Amino acid sequence: MHKKITLAVIIMGFSGFVAEIVLLRELLMAFQGNELSIGVILANWLLLESAGAHFLGRKISRGKRKLGLFILVTVLFTIFFLAAIYATRIFREFLPLMPGEGVGILIMFAVSFVALLPVSLLHGALFTSGCQLYYLYSGTGKRTHDSSALSIARVYIFETLGTIAGGVILTFVFIPWIHAIEIALAVAMINLVICILLLHPFHKGRRQPVRLVPSLTLLLLLTGVIYLVAGSGAGKLHLSSLQKHWKNHHLLHHEQSQYGSITVTERGQEYTFYADGTPILSSPNPDLVKVEEFVHFPMLIHPNPANVAVLSGGPGGVINEILKHDINRIDYAEVDPLLPEVIRKFPTPLTERELNDPRVHVTGADSRFFLKRTPHTYDVILSGFSDPSTLQTNRFFTREFFSLAKSKLNPDGILKLGVPGSLTYLGRELTDLNAIVLNTLESVFPHVRVIPGENQNFFLASSSPDIKKAEATRLADEIRKRELELSLMGQGHITYKLDPQWKDFFYQHMEEGIDEINEDFKPLAVFYSLVFWNEQFSPAFNKYFRQSQAVSLPLIAGVLLGVFLLFLLISSRIRQPLQPALSLVIFSTGFAGMLFDLILIFAFQVLFGYIFYWLGLLVTAFMAGVMAGGLWMSSMLKKYSSATPAIIRLELLIIVFALLLPFVFTGAGDLLAHTWFDPLLKAIFLLLSFISGVLVGSAFPLANREYLKTSRSLSGTAGFLYSSDLMGGWLGGIIGGVVLLPVMGLTSTSLVIVMFKILSLTLLLLALKKVRLPKA
């Protein structure tokens, strides 16, 4: 029976990780690929796991039928996992949202919380219950502090082993070959089989038919799952959920790549292509006003645009308009190289003409990678990214990208990009968003021109002052000289767009905007874009959210000092001062672990752009480190009478790691110009994830060992410290992903970890001094 419990714990870790990553990917797509939601989603997962471990798990552990309750919770977990996937796809039916419409941070929090609630709560309960079952069936004999601590440590390790297996199988087997509904059903099959195995001893040698009811129920459920997978049921569920997500649209195609998801819908005779739920282009009838303005303003201003690069959104009108000029070469790249392939699957005369022209070269690389590695230089670079709302798109609005673009422009070359705008009202949110893009452009280019517009402001940047001299008359002359056949951009339209009143209107608002620069590792534009979208969907909440822009290291230092003093006060007034000290150590370690995860996820997205695919690998490497740290420290428990010296050393190592982590990425972006650096940098990311996992995983068994010396309850200790770990992760996910990283940047976020760990270490040392624990 002990081996079956061990296997059940491993499957528990496997299932929990698969559910976490699959639901994270589904919610990420539901939130238009906004990576800031990663912190919110992970935080909600940890919060609910913590509640499940501390409350529901302890209640199960105290019940009379511990194994039966464990099996029941396992079955419920698999059912709600499938239901949660379906819920993430259909939640828009219950909200006033259309496909492609963005959401604010409050909706992200609420939707992810509700979707994850039953799944995370039940999985958290399984950990505490599993610790109790493992101890009961371990055959260790008389209960001691050491045997209890060892049981908790082993469950932690076995669960992590399952997590690692889940990460590998999910990344290399499940995701490439089957969709999310099928993944959930596969997890259900595995769990139902292990539940039947666990029930077997209940029936051995017994003839009462009533005892067979649980087994027969499980067998019926397993048969139903197999029927869904083998037949067409899984496919119908998958298609039904997608169609509900894309309500009022005829869904033609949905496909996932390592960058995200590509969806094609049809309305009338019009195809619309979406990337992560955001509309990218439509064909064969594009928005002519938008397309002509986007293309022809920079093309007409440049005296002889022969070579052009299009970064995103080329087919569906843009390339067609460029080809009206005397062009030698057009290089077209998408942030997701799968998109041009999908466009070819749904051709129209317009896209066929664009992509089959011999002057058009379609690259299979990410747009920023393409620009970094191309040997060509350009007269015009058109950036089709219109909003730095995600880390992926923000990569095309940073000082580093603008410097790269400048290096790829000819001396009189022009970079063109767009940002949300208005000709009637620029609120504080739009003002700040435009201001940070303008400031960043002006920090790189000597000459920047803004053409304000309704819905979108166009920014033109160049090393040549000519971009500011071109007026409406000259541009109209160029249209006639080049014999361009344009639908809407005549002299009257150009005169209206270039009217000085719009420029004056824009720059008057810019005087009230922020004076900040957007950088790769300090993506302030993502934060201000989120503030802008929050104002659309949660204006009441946004009044408080935008205050987070005032967050600074001194402010956080003051808050952490207050927390330290509170714990110090509690520690001084109880009999066991080590308990609050250890809980803060574990809480701050969970906080640090989440921030290490987010730092690496964010840095990977900034440098490579396809975290959607590598998310599982990075978390798997982290969990492999957690297991290695747990095994390492579990072996140490047998050698020393006290674990506190090891805890102190571990705290110091986390501080050193947090101090060194930001420097690893300095200059990495420049080295990516060389293809040989790709695999090396990816290996470094996996190594850093592993090391951070070792540091986090080592703390749990050590703290359990010391805490059990002051507590009589194994399940209570396991549940409390596990909850402390998860609650620390929750706090790190909420403030780290949404505030610290976008507002303060990578380096300052690492310093927050350093400050927190210094305070937790200080509290531990003071507690040890008070109780005078013997040294190892």
Side-chain angles (χ1 to χ4, degrees):
M1 188 62 182
H2 179 244
K3 291 181 179 179
K4 292 180 180 179
I5 296 295
T6 301
L7 180 59
V9 170
I10 294 173
I11 296 301
M12 176 183 73
F14 169 88
S15 305
F17 182 82
V18 171
E20 180 183 6
I21 298 301
V22 168
L23 290 173
L24 176 57
R25 286 165 57 95
E26 290 290 321
L27 287 165
L28 192 58
M29 287 187 288
F31 301 148
Q32 282 71 50
N34 191 327
E35 304 90 348
L36 296 189
S37 67
I38 292 176
V40 175
I41 297 164
L42 290 178
N44 277 336
W45 177 274
L46 293 179
L47 173 67
L48 294 167
E49 280 244 351
S50 172
H54 189 65
F55 298 108
L56 184 59
R58 291 177 69 181
K59 191 168 184 178
I60 292 172
S61 299
R62 293 169 182 167
K64 293 182 179 180
R65 299 179 178 179
K66 295 179 176 61
L67 186 58
L69 289 172
F70 180 86
I71 291 171
L72 175 62
V73 171
T74 300
V75 172
L76 290 175
F77 163 79
T78 62
I79 293 171
F80 280 111
F81 175 29
L82 179 62
I85 294 173
Y86 203 86
T88 61
R89 295 180 176 181
I90 68 170
F91 78 88
R92 287 174 179 267
E93 276 201 297
F94 307 99
L95 296 173
L97 296 171
M98 293 297 294
E101 189 174 352
V103 297
I105 193 70
L106 195 59
I107 293 178
M108 291 181 189
F109 181 89
V111 169
S112 61
F113 185 90
V114 172
L116 298 176
L117 176 61
V119 186
S120 304
L121 201 68
L122 292 167
H123 190 263
L126 288 173
F127 176 83
T128 308
S129 177
C131 287
Q132 190 69 38
L133 286 175
Y134 187 89
Y135 176 75
L136 291 174
Y137 289 95
S138 62
T140 54
K142 186 179 179 180
R143 183 179 185 273
T144 65
H145 293 310
D146 286 346
S147 63
S148 298
L150 196 58
S151 293
I152 296 173
R154 285 177 175 172
V155 169
Y156 193 66
I157 292 165
F158 286 133
E159 186 200 29
T160 307
L161 180 63
T163 297
I164 296 168
V168 173
I169 293 173
L170 179 68
T171 302
F172 296 108
V173 180
F174 283 172
I175 291 175
W177 298 105
I178 58 179
H179 54 69
I181 298 292
E182 291 172 326
I183 292 174
L185 291 172
V187 168
M189 280 194 291
I190 295 169
N191 279 274
L192 289 171
V193 169
I194 196 66
C195 286
I196 292 170
L197 291 175
L198 288 174
L199 270 180
H200 180 69
F202 286 173
H203 308 305
K204 191 174 181 180
R206 298 186 180 185
R207 297 181 179 179
Q208 297 94 328
V210 70
R211 296 285 186 179
L212 295 176
V213 171
S215 289
L216 289 175
T217 302
L218 291 173
L219 284 170
L220 284 173
L221 287 173
L222 180 60
T223 303
V225 170
I226 293 173
Y227 175 77
L228 286 174
V229 173
S232 59
K236 289 179 179 178
L237 277 174
H238 176 63
L239 185 59
S240 169
S241 61
L242 288 175
Q243 287 175 336
K244 286 181 179 294
H245 176 81
W246 295 96
K247 58 182 179 181
N248 302 324
H249 288 69
H250 179 208
L251 181 66
L252 293 178
H253 184 81
H254 180 83
E255 185 174 353
Q256 293 187 4
S257 73
Q258 62 181 8
Y259 289 84
S261 65
I262 304 295
T263 305
V264 186
T265 65
E266 182 184 28
R267 177 174 281 185
Q269 300 296 319
E270 189 75 11
Y271 295 133
T272 303
F273 297 82
Y274 297 82
D276 289 330
T278 301
I280 300 297
L281 60 94
S282 62
S283 182
N285 301 302
D287 183 343
L288 284 177
V289 175
K290 179 181 176 181
V291 169
E292 289 192 351
E293 288 182 351
F294 178 74
V295 171
H296 294 298
F297 273 120
M299 297 292 287
L300 292 171
I301 290 173
H302 194 282
N304 183 28
N307 297 300
V308 179
V310 181
L311 309 181
S312 182
V318 169
I319 292 175
N320 183 62
E321 294 301 317
I322 297 172
L323 289 171
K324 293 179 180 180
H325 296 261
D326 187 11
I327 293 296
N328 293 333
R329 181 185 182 94
I330 299 174
D331 284 332
Y332 161 53
E334 277 291 347
V335 71
D336 189 341
L338 176 65
L339 182 58
E341 296 180 23
V342 174
I343 292 171
R344 292 185 186 277
K345 292 179 181 178
F346 299 92
T348 66
L350 175 62
T351 56
E352 286 280 271
R353 186 166 62 251
E354 290 174 318
L355 296 179
N356 292 330
D357 191 288
R359 293 168 292 177
V360 177
H361 303 266
V362 181
T363 178
D366 162 80
S367 301
R368 184 157 163 173
F369 268 78
F370 157 73
L371 201 60
K372 190 183 293 289
R373 292 172 177 173
T374 182
H376 301 287
T377 56
Y378 301 96
D379 301 306
V380 175
I381 296 176
L382 298 174
S383 176
F385 304 97
S386 58
D387 187 358
S389 58
T390 69
L391 286 174
Q392 189 180 64
T393 56
N394 185 70
R395 298 160 63 232
F396 300 90
F397 293 87
T398 63
R399 179 165 57 185
E400 292 83 354
F401 170 73
F402 293 154
S403 298
L404 170 64
K406 184 180 180 182
S407 70
K408 297 297 181 178
L409 285 171
N410 293 322
D412 54 354
I414 300 171
L415 170 66
K416 169 75 177 296
L417 62 138
V419 177
S422 174
L423 293 177
T424 55
Y425 175 71
L426 278 180
R428 177 66 185 275
E429 296 75 25
L430 267 183
T431 296
D432 286 342
L433 181 57
N434 279 267
I436 196 169
V437 174
L438 179 63
N439 296 340
T440 308
L441 273 172
E442 290 179 339
S443 71
V444 175
F445 288 92
H447 304 285
V448 177
R449 181 173 184 174
V450 182
I451 303 176
E454 194 59 49
N455 300 321
Q456 192 170 59
N457 294 327
F458 292 131
F459 290 74
L460 290 80
S462 178
S463 297
S464 170
D466 292 344
I467 61 167
K468 293 184 176 180
K469 298 177 182 178
E471 300 301 333
T473 304
R474 179 181 163 252
L475 297 187
D477 288 342
E478 285 292 326
I479 292 174
R480 288 188 290 271
K481 185 191 301 182
R482 301 181 192 183
E483 299 180 347
L484 301 178
E485 295 183 4
L486 306 183
S487 300
L488 299 170
M489 268 194 68
Q491 183 168 351
H493 184 81
I494 296 173
T495 301
Y496 174 78
K497 292 291 296 183
L498 300 184
D499 193 311
Q501 66 170 319
W502 305 130
K503 184 178 73 172
D504 295 341
F505 169 80
F506 177 82
Y507 278 99
Q508 284 173 5
H509 283 81
M510 291 304 100
E511 292 176 0
E512 302 171 1
I514 58 170
D515 188 20
E516 298 279 358
I517 299 295
N518 189 38
E519 299 175 340
D520 277 350
F521 294 114
K522 191 177 180 181
L524 277 167
V526 180
F527 173 79
Y528 286 108
S529 178
L530 187 58
V531 170
F532 168 65
W533 286 110
N534 272 335
E535 188 64 23
Q536 315 304 310
F537 303 106
S538 310
F541 169 74
N542 202 42
K543 294 177 182 178
Y544 304 100
F545 178 74
R546 72 169 299 119
Q547 299 304 316
S548 57
Q549 66 185 320
V551 169
S552 63
L553 280 176
L555 177 63
I556 291 176
V559 173
L560 290 177
L561 183 59
V563 173
F564 170 77
L565 293 175
L566 176 63
F567 271 79
L568 187 62
L569 179 64
I570 295 172
S571 181
S572 66
R573 296 193 175 188
I574 62 175
R575 293 181 179 180
Q576 301 293 345
L578 201 57
Q579 287 186 349
L582 288 171
S583 66
L584 186 62
V585 165
I586 291 298
F587 182 89
S588 60
T589 300
F591 178 84
M594 174 58 78
L595 283 187
F596 286 149
D597 258 352
L598 290 178
I599 286 171
L600 292 169
I601 287 170
F602 280 30
F604 190 94
Q605 183 71 326
V606 166
L607 293 171
F608 288 102
Y610 47 89
I611 191 59
F612 189 75
Y613 179 72
W614 263 68
L615 191 61
L617 286 177
L618 289 176
V619 179
T620 301
F622 176 83
M623 296 310 298
V626 169
M627 187 185 74
L631 286 170
W632 178 30
M633 290 304 155
S634 294
S635 65
M636 299 285 287
L637 293 177
K638 302 175 183 179
K639 299 179 181 179
Y640 302 105
S641 60
S642 174
T644 51
I647 295 174
I648 292 169
R649 289 192 292 269
L650 191 61
E651 291 283 274
L652 292 171
L653 285 173
I654 292 176
I655 291 171
V656 172
F657 183 76
L659 284 171
L660 297 178
L661 184 59
F663 296 101
V664 175
F665 307 112
T666 303
D670 295 332
L671 289 172
L672 283 173
H674 309 286
T675 55
W676 59 264
F677 190 63
D678 276 20
L680 177 60
L681 185 57
K682 290 174 182 175
I684 291 172
F685 268 101
L686 292 175
L687 178 62
L688 291 173
S689 293
F690 179 81
I691 293 172
S692 63
V694 170
L695 295 174
V696 173
S698 299
F700 191 74
L702 294 175
N704 269 293
R705 165 73 172 273
E706 294 306 308
Y707 201 97
L708 278 169
K709 293 178 179 179
T710 66
S711 173
R712 296 179 180 179
S713 172
L714 181 146
S715 62
T717 297
F720 178 71
L721 289 184
Y722 189 61
S723 298
S724 297
D725 185 13
L726 296 179
M727 285 301 296
W730 176 81
L731 182 64
I734 289 294
I735 71 168
V738 179
V739 178
L740 296 183
L741 281 165
V743 175
M744 295 174 56
L746 191 148
T747 301
S748 293
T749 300
S750 296
L751 291 177
V752 171
I753 299 173
V754 171
M755 291 190 296
F756 203 176
K757 295 309 290 181
I758 287 175
L759 292 177
S760 67
L761 175 59
T762 303
L763 184 67
L764 178 63
L765 293 173
L766 291 174
L768 288 172
K769 185 177 180 181
K770 184 175 180 180
V771 299
R772 298 179 180 178
L773 290 177
K775 294 183 179 180

